[in-house]
Amino acid sequence: MNVHEYQAKELLAKFGVGIPAGIAALTVEEAVAAAKQLPGPLYVVKAQIHAGGRGKGKFKELPADAKGGVRLAKSIEEVEAFAKEMLGNTLVTVQTGEAGKQVNRLYITDGVDIAKEYYLSMVVDRASSRVAMIVSTEGGMDIEEVAHSTPEKIATITIDPAEGFMPHHGRAVGYALKLTGDLNKQAGKIAEQLYNAFVALDCDMLEINPLVETKDGNLLVLDTKMSFDSNSLYRHPDVMALRDETEEDPAEIEASKYDLAYIKLDGNIGCMVNGAGLAMATMDIIKLNGEFPANFLDVGGGATTEKVTAAFKIILKDPAVKGILVNIFGGIMKCDIIADGIVAAAKEVNLSVPLVVRLEGTNVQQGKDILANSGLPIVPANDLGDAARKIVAEVRKVA
Ligand code: ADP
Ligand code: MG
């Protein structure tokens, strides 16, 4: 789960991390009121969307030469003007895709006198089973570009979770950022605070770009992106409360209500599978046969009629879907019960695209009989290869 910049900053501030003062706003009036509470005379009006690259982004509704989603305002009047330009409009950045994202929230924050911009991020590194801190002197720009053209300017410091954050990690961060004296000490301290926040909040990614050195010699977090391991959200109700569903794919939200693991993809074959491994194998074999999956969907172990119906509805909402492949292994669940669920669900949603079903496991013959006698044009398949070939042939007939 992702949160907005202002929410992430408020969380980080609780761990002692230095951030510029700022207030979120949903309307132009709130933006003006927020600016009045800040010291001034420089303010920054920042579009809050779950995507980076806002500064260099473009608003669809504004002229091509208009500025993007991070604007420096020199007066309250400018804050008002920029808020009017941004709210309700669609910001397109390198991370939003062409459709862009509508700006519904702003963050009005103190304008900082920047001496230098740095980069610091943290991810869980699965290979080393550690938290990896990635730091660079090249802040404020696209880190992928830095990694590509000047990889020597990026340092990675890994932290053993059993050992925790040690002073030498802090020194390594200060050294990598080429900081000396008090700024070097501040770098070590802020790195430790960020690490503590990362671990305590069960983050899976935390990116500070830029971390800035101010002209008066302080290190501040100017921009941050934070995402959380959704498997641990149950123990962070305060974080869960920050969820902004307007930023998420509606189909994925609907799926999560039914405890379905659904991820939308770009292909035309809808997939309904039980088990994540089988779901991935199913997507692979569709690709092997020359078409692309429209989604990843794991209905889980207890695929009830209700769940299967919800899954069909979610798959069919995607206009790109030209056919559905159901691939279910009846282990704990028996194939006849699954077949009943599929038939009931297909009737309820008035299935309008070809449906290929591959069942395997307990009571498989009863299951196949139920499908065959359902009166529905369900195409039965014997194994995974057969199923993939059949659904690919079906969607090509429609196309
Ligand atoms: P994004 O990465 O989405 O473009 P940032 O918050 O990183 O958004 O803003 C882009 C740039 O705008 C920063 O690299 C920084 O130079 C400048 N900026 C952002 N916030 C402030 C601020 N509070 N004061 C001064 N400059 C800022
Ligand atoms: Mg940034």
Side-chain angles (χ1 to χ4, degrees), residues 54 209-210 223:
R54 296 161 300 169
N209 190 21
D223 182 21

Side-chain angles (χ1 to χ4, degrees), residues 165-179:
F165 193 95
M166 302 298 278
H168 68 85
H169 294 123
R171 287 194 293 276
V173 170
Y175 179 77
L177 296 180
K178 297 190 168 44
L179 294 169

